[in-house]
Amino acid sequence: MNVCLSTEHPYNHLIETLNDGRIKYFNPQKLNDQRYDKLPLSIRVLLEAAVRNCDGFYTKEEDVQNLLDWQQQQCKTEVPFTPARVLLQDFTGIPAMVDLAAMRDAVAKHGVDPSLVNPKCPTDLIVDHSLQIDYSKCAIQNTPNPGGGDGPSQNQGPSRSAPSRPLPRGGSHCGGQRASVQQIENTPLLCPFHLKPVSETETTLKNQGMELIRNKERLQFFKWCSKAFKNVNVVPPDVGAVHQVNLEYLSRVVQVRGGFIYPDSVVGTDSHTTMINGLGILGWGVGGIESEAVMLGQPVSLTLPQVVGCKLVGSINPLTTSIDIVLGITKHLRQAGIAGKFVEFFGPGVSQLSAPDRTTIANMCPEYNATVSFFPVDQVTIKHFKKTSDNDDWKLSIMGICAEIIKLLFFMQVIEINLSSIVPYVSGPKRPQDRVAVCSMKEDFQSCLDEKVGFKGFHISKEKQETRVPFLHCGREYQLAHGSVVIAAVISCTNNCNPAVMLTAGLMAKKAVEAGLVVKPYIRTSLAPGSGMVTHYLSTSGVLPYFSQLGFEVIGYGCATCIGNTAPLPEAVVDAIKQGDLVACGVLSGNRHFEGRLCDCVRANYLASPPLVVAYAIAGTVGINFEKEPLGVTSEGKEVYLRDIWPSREEVQQTEEDMVISSIFKDVRGRMDKGNTFWNNIDCPESILFPWDHKSTYIRSPCFFSKLSKEVPPPQSIENAHALLFLGDKVTTDHISPAGSIARVSAAAKYLQSKRLTPREFNSYGARRGNDAVMTRGTFASIKLQNRFIGKSGPKTLHIPSGQTLDVFEAAERYQRDGIHLIILAGKDYGSGNSRDWVAKGPYLLGVRAVIAESFEKLHKNQLVGMGIMPLEFLPGQNADSLELNGKERFTITLPESLSPRQQLNVNTSQGKSFIVTALFDTEMDIILFQHGGLLRYVARTFL
């Protein structure tokens, strides 16, 4: 936000200067208040924002004092927070930008320069929700389960130098066969088998072409926004997902604006916004109307949170991967009961976590129900930004100063997690939920042999547990026993898509080869990267050839081993397993491994991290204690233990920073700067006002500003209103404004068909959020809506004057045509669920003036106020049933000339009943917004 530079600013005395006086900042430490020293870091960010934006209106000196008094005020007091920026994805961004475009029209009609209408808070809009998969190709010619299909050659030599693998059909520009891999434009596409550049895939180009055709109107509008509005940065399609772009391109830690420097912070309409807290940037997800309010200059209101300190101590087990750490910390926090709280990490263990580790932990907030998981800015953060950002050196030095001045923090609750207690696990041998510590693997497998047949047991008699079956493979004799590994698959998907675990496996393979270790040639090995980018960074880091030397060749891109698409085992191996009735094993880093799934003769299957897959493949058995037994013996007779070849975390993190993160961030910035062909070729108008196309079914000027006057109208009482809907408990935002496909028999479908669109062209409600005609018709269009007027689920209601059952939109249209006010009756928890802007905009355009409910979800209550709809709450112990309301009455709610927060109002019905409700206006600002008819009309009047 803009900083008030007048002498009237109550905290001018806190301003200090940097960089020869060219940069200023507010230093809350100059308050000389002992309470400041005990504030958690996240609360200090809230405090600095309150000090800097203290204008006596949105943010008051009282709010600053409440923040300083955090220990006493937490969970009791509402405080404002003005974030540094807003993050939007295109589904939620398009209605916000359409509203601003319509606001320009409205102020222009009053003779005001429309170019003055811009977001007050810097806003980034990422176009990442437009792509649909219309075209796809099989990334790998899947081989079926044993018994059918073509398998690889059985003449594989023991040297493992060039094993034969099934390759997909179709040529490539590098002269060989390759898998069809979707690749982002402006990045080199490597043939995964020859590692040479090839042309962009036809699949990607066709999908991009369809994206342009389907979303041309939306993309033209976004491009106009990027040129017409100040403080708006539009990231074009095909650059990346919103949360990734936020991490890789938009994050700053410190922001500079108007000559002032201040902490970066963000609210976003993406559920993964919390990832950014891993970089010391405070941020969380909000709904569409909340983000629009921040764009227009209004702070977020939040209850001063409890902050739980999570102290990390101990040293990370050398064999523990990043995924083990993330899941271990998540488990501890889930058990701690920290719902709705802020979590801050501190302690000596924090420095052991890389930036990707931290952002992954922060992203897991929904798993343990925290609001944010905040990490401090430290040397790890600074090193990350040096590698990935274009921050000036002096900005990086500011980060360093911030890291150095952190003092002892005070938390009301501290959870201590000893990182050394987090040990690596595998899962198996039959179910993914049966976890086994790697250090106990040998004993656990032995117990599985002993136990009766069940979820883990195989019931092998003691005399048969020592069975050894010799067999010949490629002219050489080998032996199989219980626990012998015959399938080893390194797969980069789900949790194992983290580059750190794949690089750990690759660096370990390199050390294994250099130590002279080999994998027995009869083991069916494979390497299935999750994408071409994985192959790329494994290649650039130099580890891919070592994977290959151990037999882990890239087999393509797609689900294979997890779903049983493993190539048949050599016949000699199958015969040996059957002859000895052996419990042979498969080890994979996938996500499914039920008994017999990989191969019908392989009874024990374990899920493991990629490096452990390589380790068990080298060992050739799961019956090994890695701490006490060597992985193998070199040709010189030297024993090599797992600890000898396992790379250190520092080595992995350094490789990740140098080979993965830097290249990815450089790639993202390159695509940001260059754009893409489709985006660059889109024509858009150069006008200050958007030229609305009245034939468009995607972009339409909404009627939020109709009959906008310069003067604020006096409060209008609700007289003789009908209930549009009579609802029960737990009406969710999905009931109010569905986000999915448009049903063919819905009111929205009828509208689109009137525009000569076929059902195939309907797209979704999410894609059409820029068209108020579609979204209004989609309000209360859920097939699961339970309306007591109807008695069964569906998007219908009773038009009371005629007694007809109609679509909700059609009934509302009739009421508005007849000049009849509307209300909604509801039960408990009205408006729970995901926040969406149209859950309040839709009812507003249907003509709803008030919602009377037993209780409201707080966020939705604020949304209603933001659209000028009164949230009215029955008195405790009362509801529609206790008051004997049938919903068919007419309701009159008289408003006084002057409203006050949480004022009680009288409701009178046409049947002579009267009851009291509480108007849930919590602040004076709520009342101002309501009196103006909502946030949009309030902001528009500020320009008039």
Side-chain angles (χ1 to χ4, degrees), residues 78-336:
E78 292 275 325
V79 293
F81 172 52
T82 304
R85 55 190 174 91
V86 175
L87 181 71
L88 305 172
Q89 42 91 341
D90 50 320
F91 271 15
T92 52
I94 198 163
M97 302 313 299
V98 164
D99 291 345
L100 287 178
M103 189 182 295
R104 282 193 168 186
D105 292 342
V107 301
K109 291 178 181 178
H110 287 270
V112 176
D113 182 2
S115 66
L116 296 176
V117 177
N118 295 287
K120 294 183 178 180
C121 183
T123 301
D124 297 296
L125 194 158
I126 292 85
V127 185
D128 74 329
H129 279 48
S130 299
L131 182 64
Q132 297 182 27
I133 303 176
D134 296 283
Y135 300 94
S136 63
K137 293 182 180 180
C138 184
I140 176 173
Q141 182 181 340
N142 289 327
T143 54
N145 277 314
D150 298 327
S153 169
Q154 303 298 319
N155 299 321
Q156 180 177 317
S159 68
R160 309 213 65 140
S161 58
S164 175
R165 302 287 182 194
L167 299 178
R169 298 182 178 91
S172 76
H173 290 276
C174 67
Q177 290 180 306
R178 66 175 177 87
S180 175
V181 184
Q182 182 171 329
Q183 183 71 11
I184 301 171
E185 189 175 347
N186 299 331
T187 61
L189 180 66
L190 301 180
C191 168
F193 298 102
H194 300 82
L195 299 177
K196 297 179 181 178
V198 297
S199 63
E200 191 166 29
T201 61
E202 180 183 9
T203 299
T204 302
L205 294 173
K206 283 188 174 182
N207 280 321
Q208 288 178 338
M210 284 301 298
E211 180 181 6
L212 175 64
I213 294 171
R214 180 184 291 114
N215 296 288
K216 184 177 181 180
E217 295 175 30
R218 298 170 70 239
L219 296 178
Q220 283 180 324
F221 177 72
F222 284 139
K223 195 164 187 180
W224 174 80
C225 290
S226 69
K227 295 181 177 181
F229 288 107
K230 298 177 182 178
N231 284 338
V232 173
N233 171 44
V234 177
V235 178
D238 300 318
V239 169
V242 55
H243 53 281
Q244 287 301 122
V245 173
N246 188 28
L247 280 174
E248 297 167 6
Y249 184 78
L250 303 174
S251 58
R252 292 290 185 273
V253 175
V254 290
Q255 292 279 358
V256 180
R257 190 170 185 229
F260 277 78
I261 190 168
Y262 49 91
D264 190 12
S265 56
V266 61
V267 292
T269 57
D270 176 70
S271 59
H272 298 281
T273 304
T274 54
M275 292 182 77
I276 207 67
N277 292 280
L279 298 179
I281 299 171
L282 188 63
W284 61 85
V286 296
I289 289 181
E290 293 75 37
S291 62
E292 199 166 338
V294 176
M295 289 170 61
L296 296 173
Q298 187 176 355
V300 176
S301 179
L302 74 156
T303 302
L304 200 55
Q306 281 186 273
V307 183
V308 176
C310 185
K311 186 177 183 180
L312 302 182
V313 299
S315 299
I316 296 174
N317 186 310
L319 302 186
T320 300
T321 66
S322 295
I323 298 304
D324 294 322
I325 295 167
V326 170
L327 295 180
I329 291 175
T330 299
K331 178 184 176 182
H332 279 284
L333 293 177
R334 187 186 295 121
Q335 295 170 345

Side-chain angles (χ1 to χ4, degrees), residues 67-78:
L67 283 159
L68 284 168
D69 202 25
W70 164 77
Q71 290 185 36
Q72 303 301 321
Q73 298 298 329
Q74 56 184 309
C75 301
K76 301 177 183 178
T77 306
E78 292 275 325

Side-chain angles (χ1 to χ4, degrees), residues 46-67:
L46 299 179
L47 175 65
E48 188 280 338
V51 167
R52 176 167 38 88
N53 294 284
C54 188
D55 58 2
F57 183 62
Y58 287 124
T59 305
K60 302 177 181 179
E61 292 184 66
E62 178 186 354
D63 298 315
V64 172
Q65 291 301 315
N66 285 334
L67 283 159

Side-chain angles (χ1 to χ4, degrees), residues 504-641:
T504 300
L507 292 171
M508 194 178 80
K510 178 177 183 292
K511 292 175 181 286
V513 171
E514 291 172 346
L517 298 179
V518 297
V519 174
K520 295 178 177 63
Y522 60 81
I523 298 176
R524 182 65 70 215
T525 49
S526 60
L527 172 59
S531 70
M533 179 57 75
V534 179
T535 304
H536 178 68
Y537 69 67
L538 291 178
S539 175
T540 56
S541 61
V543 300
L544 199 58
Y546 297 98
F547 266 127
S548 180
Q549 288 188 57
L550 292 179
F552 291 94
E553 296 275 355
V554 176
I555 52 92
Y557 302 85
C559 292
T561 305
C562 286
I563 59 173
N565 286 348
T566 303
L569 296 176
E571 288 186 17
V573 172
V574 175
D575 291 342
I577 293 172
K578 291 181 178 179
Q579 179 184 336
D581 190 25
L582 299 176
V583 180
C585 298
V587 186
L588 69 154
S589 60
N591 54 27
R592 291 291 184 271
H593 70 320
F594 302 113
E595 184 177 11
R597 181 169 183 147
L598 307 190
C599 179
D600 57 4
C601 64
V602 180
R603 285 189 275 174
N605 299 294
Y606 289 91
L607 298 181
S609 65
L612 286 176
V613 172
V614 176
Y616 282 114
I618 295 172
T621 178
V622 299
I624 181 174
N625 185 321
F626 287 131
E627 295 178 3
K628 299 178 181 179
E629 300 175 63
L631 274 179
V633 180
T634 67
S635 57
E636 292 82 16
K638 180 183 177 182
E639 293 183 340
V640 180
Y641 289 81

Side-chain angles (χ1 to χ4, degrees), residues 818-839:
D818 295 336
I820 297 174
H821 292 166
L822 293 174
I823 66 167
I824 290 173
L825 295 175
K828 299 175 182 176
D829 301 324
Y830 180 79
S832 58
N834 293 331
S835 175
R836 302 184 186 122
D837 54 346
W838 278 101
V839 295

